Amino acid sequence: MTRDRNERVSGERRLLSRRSVLATLGTLPVITAATSVLDATEAAAATAVIDPSAQRQTIRGFGGMAHAAWIGDLTAAQRETAFGNGDGKLGFTVLRIPVGENQSDWSRDLATAQRAVELGATVIASPWNPPASMTETFVRGSQTNAKRLKYSAYAAYAQHLNSFVTYMRNNGVNLYGISVQNEPDYAYDWTWWTADEIVRFLRENAGVIGTRVIAPESFQYVKSMSDPILNDSVALANVDIIGAHLYGTPYSNFPYPLFKQKGAGKELWMTEVYYPNSSDSADLWPQALDVGEHIHHAMVDAEFQAYVWWYIRRSYGPMREDGQISKRGAVMAQFARFVRPGYVRIEATANPASNVYVSAYRGGDSIVIVAVNKGSSAVTQQFTLANGTASSASSWVTDASRNVAPQAPVGITNGSLTVTLPALSVTTFVTAGSGGPSPSPSSSPTPTPSPSPTGGTGTAPRVAYTMNAWNTGFTANISITNTGTSAINGWTLVFTLPAGQTITSGWNATYSPSSGQVSARNVSYNATIAPGATIDIGFQATHTGNTAEPTAFTLNGIPCTVV
């Protein structure tokens, strides 16, 4: 991506108007205030049913890009605003950084990445170009100096990416994933890749990269860039995250049936966008409310697991140049501060009234509901928690005059709460107490029989353990995949925490004891793991200096494959 898509800055790449490209494609969003104006009086909406037992995708987080070489690094205070989670903070849990062509540039974004990790964020990285020695020019249509990676340099490029992973790890940043190429299909000023070239690189070279691999990061979620990966079993085995950008992508193109069909065990991330697709001030209202609807569709229709903005600090970004959060940032914070990594999106009535958009998420015993009202009048909205036992909900609102402002608690009676959604607003509700059915101690699921490693009734499950550590603490996410042909009904995952590590809280499982050999047992809503399915659990813990990871896991007594 350029420094800015719609403004010219000295020293930047030649600007090809994003607006002209998208307009040609017929998908540029048209931004008008009139689309938000409907009724003039308060309206009633249909009941929105929230069902904690109907799980969808696991959320990895919300965040943005830092690019010190192009716009300067975030200051120490701005890092706290971006990745802190209190009042006046964005609550971001994902940071995206560039992979420099030259190793001498790799330290530019290190300080921000280190602090983001200390504050519990996940870091990913994307390259715009390989080292110059690995590229060649070719003719692409009217472009006579188009650039691509030489096939003879594929192996060296994979080592280049892996060296960046190693450099960051040696400096305290364990990358969650690294991309093959930023926007390979919009590369007028960087490196072009065809879908076939990406598949070939994944098949032949990506296996040496020591973290999760992201591809293809198409600028407009062009499925012809990612379909070949999903349709090639070898390439698919060597990619972990299908990444996409959403510049000008219509909502009708958000769903991805082929990924749902063939992407088992893989993740689906939206790794770059700004929306509305203009460099207008981020404090325009109600234009900034469009961000809330966009995130809603990204979570509900596309079922992305992460939503990553372009520049964190910019006039059109979530943080203004003065370091304060903007109206667009406040709308993002309504999601980011409350829907945390490891939470699971659950089924909710997505559109209970005209211009009202609802999504819901579960983390432990809490339910988070985010409701966007783009109408010009307030809406009386009832939410019903299926099988819920929560007693009250806290809430926060952003509208024309307020930014993530706390509101009085709302009572929940017989699993229902009725609230007023202000005109042109986004409101987040967080339940207190159990938001759904919880197993009682006397009715915990019985684990399946424990076969021997050499020939029992099961196939070795697959476990991925991801750790983000800071000075005295860390978070861990554990993905469990059922590689067998029959469902797992009731499970216990056993692992040993290294010395000095103690669990302080967890989600999507019950953990006992808090140190030493730990048993993580299913909760009611994830007791069954279908064949080929993956569930995610996690915890937060303290450490005394030892940040080693568990080396072995068993699920119902079966030794797991650790990836």
Side-chain angles (χ1 to χ4, degrees):
M1 195 54 52
T2 59
R3 286 174 83 174
D4 292 305
R5 293 170 183 267
N6 296 305
E7 60 183 72
R8 177 90 180 197
V9 181
S10 177
E12 297 177 7
R13 74 169 182 89
R14 175 186 56 81
L15 180 64
L16 179 66
S17 170
R18 176 72 73 175
R19 282 191 174 272
S20 63
V21 171
L22 298 180
T24 300
L25 294 172
T27 57
L28 181 68
V30 178
I31 303 162
T32 65
T35 59
S36 296
V37 178
L38 287 180
D39 303 325
T41 59
E42 184 169 333
T47 298
V49 178
I50 313 299
D51 187 357
S53 67
Q55 297 183 87
R56 299 301 180 246
Q57 75 272 28
T58 297
I59 304 303
R60 297 303 184 199
F62 302 83
M65 180 93 190
H67 202 312
W70 285 358
I71 62 166
D73 200 4
L74 298 179
T75 67
Q78 290 164 358
R79 294 167 193 149
E80 304 302 311
T81 299
F83 302 103
N85 200 34
D87 291 342
K89 307 294 175 61
L90 287 166
F92 281 177
T93 50
V94 178
L95 169 66
R96 183 173 178 243
I97 59 173
V99 180
E101 301 173 30
N102 304 309
Q103 293 191 16
S104 59
D105 298 331
W106 287 357
S107 63
R108 285 175 172 167
D109 299 283
L110 184 59
T112 290
Q114 289 171 328
R115 185 57 182 151
V117 168
E118 290 172 353
L119 292 170
T122 291
V123 182
I124 61 172
S126 297
W128 270 245
N129 289 300
S133 62
M134 299 181 189
T135 65
E136 62 185 5
T137 58
F138 71 107
V139 176
R140 184 183 184 278
S142 61
Q143 187 179 3
T144 59
N145 63 339
K147 183 163 53 179
R148 66 188 173 199
L149 180 68
K150 293 183 289 190
Y151 173 65
S152 61
Y154 275 29
Y157 181 55
Q159 289 299 332
H160 170 75
L161 296 179
N162 196 52
S163 293
F164 184 81
V165 172
T166 301
Y167 171 83
M168 297 302 291
R169 181 182 296 124
N170 289 344
N171 285 277
V173 179
N174 288 323
L175 290 178
Y176 189 85
I178 192 167
S179 175
V180 174
Q181 171 67 47
N182 171 75
E183 296 187 354
D185 53 342
Y186 185 79
Y188 298 91
D189 292 282
W190 48 84
T191 303
W192 292 98
W193 292 66
T194 66
D196 288 344
E197 288 168 344
I198 291 175
V199 166
R200 185 171 188 173
F201 179 82
L202 292 173
R203 288 178 59 94
E204 299 178 2
N205 305 101
V208 306
I209 299 172
T211 190
R212 294 172 183 81
V213 175
I214 305 168
E217 289 200 290
S218 164
F219 93 99
Q220 204 176 31
Y221 204 9
V222 176
K223 304 300 196 302
S224 60
M225 292 296 294
S226 48
D227 282 356
I229 299 172
L230 293 167
N231 286 322
D232 188 297
S233 61
V234 178
L236 186 61
N238 284 333
V239 74
D240 303 278
I241 300 170
I242 298 297
H245 298 178
L246 293 178
Y247 289 103
T249 309
Y251 292 144
S252 61
N253 202 37
F254 275 28
Y256 199 179
L258 186 65
F259 179 83
K260 293 179 72 70
Q261 176 188 348
K262 296 190 174 183
K266 307 301 177 181
E267 298 188 18
L268 186 64
W269 284 42
M270 197 289 295
T271 56
E272 186 190 304
V273 77
Y274 60 81
Y275 187 90
N277 195 334
S278 68
S279 55
D280 297 334
S281 168
D283 285 313
L284 296 179
W285 193 267
Q287 187 191 76
L289 190 58
D290 290 348
V291 177
E293 183 187 358
H294 197 255
I295 295 176
H296 167 87
H297 288 294
M299 297 292 107
V300 174
D301 300 342
E303 298 189 75
F304 285 118
Q305 296 174 258
Y307 186 97
V308 184
W309 194 266
W310 181 221
Y311 293 134
I312 294 174
R313 185 199 66 226
R314 210 61 172 159
S315 63
Y316 51 86
M319 182 190 297
R320 301 195 303 256
E321 290 291 352
D322 64 3
Q324 300 302 306
I325 69 171
S326 66
K327 297 302 284 189
R328 290 185 183 183
V331 173
M332 286 193 71
Q334 293 277 164
F335 290 86
R337 280 183 51 187
F338 307 102
V339 183
R340 306 300 287 175
Y343 281 35
V344 177
R345 187 177 71 83
I346 56 178
E347 190 61 35
T349 305
N351 192 206
S354 178
N355 277 342
V356 174
Y357 304 94
V358 174
S359 61
Y361 312 83
R362 179 167 185 164
D365 287 336
S366 292
I367 298 296
V368 179
I369 303 169
V370 186
V372 179
N373 179 14
K374 292 191 69 182
S376 62
S377 61
V379 171
T380 300
Q381 179 65 60
Q382 181 179 16
F383 298 99
T384 297
L385 305 179
N387 302 310
T389 60
S391 58
S392 65
S394 301
S395 64
W396 292 259
V397 66
T398 293
D399 58 13
S401 61
R402 295 174 287 187
N403 282 358
V404 202
Q407 306 299 294
V410 181
I412 299 176
T413 304
N414 297 325
S416 293
L417 64 156
T418 300
V419 299
T420 297
L421 304 178
L424 299 171
S425 69
V426 54
T427 309
T428 302
F429 302 91
V430 180
T431 67
S434 177
S438 297
S440 65
S442 60
S443 61
S444 297
T446 302
T448 55
S450 300
S452 68
T454 57
T457 60
T459 302
R462 185 169 65 245
V463 166
Y465 185 94
T466 304
M467 183 180 192
N468 285 311
W470 57 94
N471 293 343
T472 59
F474 68 93
T475 58
N477 188 83
I478 306 173
S479 297
I480 306 170
T481 301
N482 178 5
T483 60
T485 57
S486 59
I488 297 172
N489 295 304
W491 52 265
T492 300
L493 182 73
V494 177
F495 55 94
T496 299
L497 285 176
Q501 298 182 7
T502 303
I503 295 174
T504 57
S505 63
W507 53 88
N508 297 339
T510 58
Y511 299 86
S512 179
S514 60
S515 60
Q517 187 179 84
V518 176
S519 294
R521 293 179 174 84
N522 67 267
V523 290
S524 60
Y525 54 84
N526 63 6
T528 299
I529 311 177
T534 298
I535 63 167
D536 290 272
I537 66 175
F539 59 86
Q540 185 163 326
T542 60
H543 68 81
T544 57
N546 183 1
T547 57
E549 300 181 358
T551 57
F553 299 82
T554 63
L555 189 78
N556 294 344
I558 303 174
C560 299
T561 301
V562 182
V563 296

